[in-house]
Amino acid sequence: MTHEEHHAAKTLGIGKAIAVLTSGGDAQGMNAAVRAVIRVGIFTGARVFFVHEGYQGLVDGGEHIREATWESVSMILQLGGTVIGSARCKDFREREGRLRAAHNLVKLGITNLCVIGGDGSLTGADTFRSEWSDLLNDLQKAGKITAEEATKSSYLNIVGLVGSIDNDFCGTDMTIGTDSALHRIVEIVDAITTTAQSHQRTFVLEVMGRHCGYLALVTSLSCGADWVFIPECPPDDDWEEHLCRRLTETRTRGSRLNIIIVAEGAIDKNGKPITSEDIKNLVVKRLGYDTRVTVLGHVQRGGTPSAFDRILGSRMGVEAVMALLEGTPDTPACVVSLSGNQAVRLPLMECVQVTKDVTKAMDEKRFDEAMKLRGRSFMNNWEVYKLLAHVRPPVSKGGLHTVAVMNVGAPAAGMNAAVRSTVRIGLIQGNRVLVVHDGFEGLAKGQIEEAGWSYVGGWTGQGGSKLGTKRTLPKKNLEQISANITKFNIQGLVIIGGFEAYTGGLELMEGRKQFDELCIPFVVIPATVSNNVPGSDFSIGADTALNTICTTCDRIKQSAAGTKRRVFIIETMGGYCGYLATMAGLAAGADAAYIFEEPFTIRDLQANVEHLVQKMKTTVKRGLVLRNEKCNENYTTDFIFNLYSEEGKGIFDSRKNVLGHMQQGGSPTPFDRNFATKMGAKAMNWMSGKIKESYRNGRIFANTPDSGCVLGMRKRTLVFQPVTELKDQTDFEHRIPKEQWWLKLRPILKILAKYEIDLDTSDHAHLEHISRKRSGEAAV
């Protein structure tokens, strides 16, 4: 795309019309996508239409297809379900129905269709597109449309967005609604866990997902379940014995609770369904345990969309409009999806085909094939789950090698899940695992103890840091630290924490010149709400903080709904890093987000106030402004509040809120639990290899740059990067990475808040192919 074309984004849609519909089952986050399609469509100069009640509305026409305005999608971002309605539609399956739909679109001049739904809805859209010219011929012959209308609407562009809580669509890492469904499930599992603790009970939980085990699998990882049944990988023939033995072992280790997760499509090796009642009866009959079944049903579809789903829906909506307006008669219908954290375009029918291949493989009992087709991310989840759930912890004392685990920096939700998986994977490998309390300070003072399997039981869902964490850096205590490494025979160190964990790692590297004892492998797992650790796109805890901010902003916006004309200024955490303010701004529909990385002047503040003054003249009489805590030392939250109060006199009232430490607390979100669990497992596997590599003459000696790494998520994969190599990528004064991927999302925030800006589409999603993509797909 040339430079001129960027600036053409504002004129790209002139003379074109786009319609958006939601079809099939509803999913949280669909409204965010609808809102983005409408607003970005209007931004490009296109006319945009709502289609109410899915394909049924397309067939019935009339009042069901209505032109949308900017304001008509206000306040829908935080609503679950779909505000434009969805319906299963028999009529559209018949050619007669599609003929009527085509007639309705031609009459309104709509040749661009954005369909948000599951694989059935998207396949329907593709059929519609392939028949388009035949349908137009028929309509013209019947005299329903003129030759001129037929020429004007000669081809139909289609872009699909996958909205489905099941995450069963191949080619996308996450479908809209999946993360929110996990939120609902995990909230319930957490609630059940507390009551089961009181009574020593076994709980069998049935979750949705049709033929896909994704929700069940990730739920098991997120709550440390004893067993999971998923359709893609039926249990071995003697699973009944195995299951009962496993439950008994968990009880004898002192656990008062057993959790078994069942996907609604669970089957055995012969394809016979395994139901939650079957499992309950088995446990009661063989073990006599007090067992309860909970079938979660439609609560999984309901409730508020999570921050992740709102951002996902918004980003996909923007990308869908771009894909539609750039479409030609030759581009295949595409589906916009997310891979790692990048938006990609994939040919619609290729994805549908692979999705069908999975079902076919399962029907033909080729389960390994079904697993592979689900993609690397699904496989990785399964591998980690198997490691953590189906292995008997070694009984022998002594252990192969000694690895220590610690938390450094400020507490972040998900740290405990990372410690748990690190400890357990370490024990499974036959190592002795030590835990260090209070970070580097505890390492210097010798606050170290050995951790057994049960030590970390139930840690996955607990917020904060159970080991205790401090910001102290190791430099001034290197002598005591070295002495304790020798005393406790520590041969490897897993450091879970924020920017201090990274700088601490650099100090340990530096200290190796002076102290031989520090020549042991170490790995840093990024965990901080600020998401400011170099070498990783995400850090554990940021997703939880984002959801906290989001929920608070929803409540604040709601409080303003009754009082007209009010602007809220909200201060978020993050140090100098603007991640939380930007992403929360996108997820909560903020009018502006002030951050350090994008310098602003008094003229910008003036323009924002003016923008809000204009907004108060519309039907949307409230504003939301986010400010990162360290975005500017002079334009403080108080200063901005005072400025807005003065300038808004007689037009709007201002209020301010400093969110503070509630952003660090709370129970970790499913994303953070899952991410932390996988990071811990990955780090420990690396550690074992590194220790073996550095074993010389009966002792460990690691002195190469690659023996001290940060484990980070980069675009689509988890990678180990030497801390010394990350130095050049770091702004140490402001404790942030020099380059941050999410800054590219800031234009979207501004467009959705109705600013006249240039949408830079340079970092553009190009059409990829699903088969090629398979090999390099996200490892997370």
Side-chain angles (χ1 to χ4, degrees), residues 613-631:
V613 167
Q614 292 309 317
K615 188 176 173 182
M616 296 301 157
K617 294 177 182 165
T618 70
T619 54
V620 187
K621 296 179 170 47
R622 81 200 150 261
L624 182 68
V625 173
L626 271 59
R627 180 190 171 275
N628 162 262
E629 57 184 354
K630 289 190 173 168
C631 63

Side-chain angles (χ1 to χ4, degrees), residues 396-419:
S396 64
K397 276 273 179 238
L400 195 59
H401 298 294
T402 304
V403 182
V405 190
M406 60 200 287
N407 291 162
V408 175
M415 275 182 163
N416 298 325
V419 172

Side-chain angles (χ1 to χ4, degrees), residues 9 78 280 309 378 409 463 470 504 514 611 704:
Q78 63 273 41
K280 174 188 167 169
D309 273 330
F378 194 96
K470 278 204 160 57
Q514 232 180 319
H611 187 264
T704 52

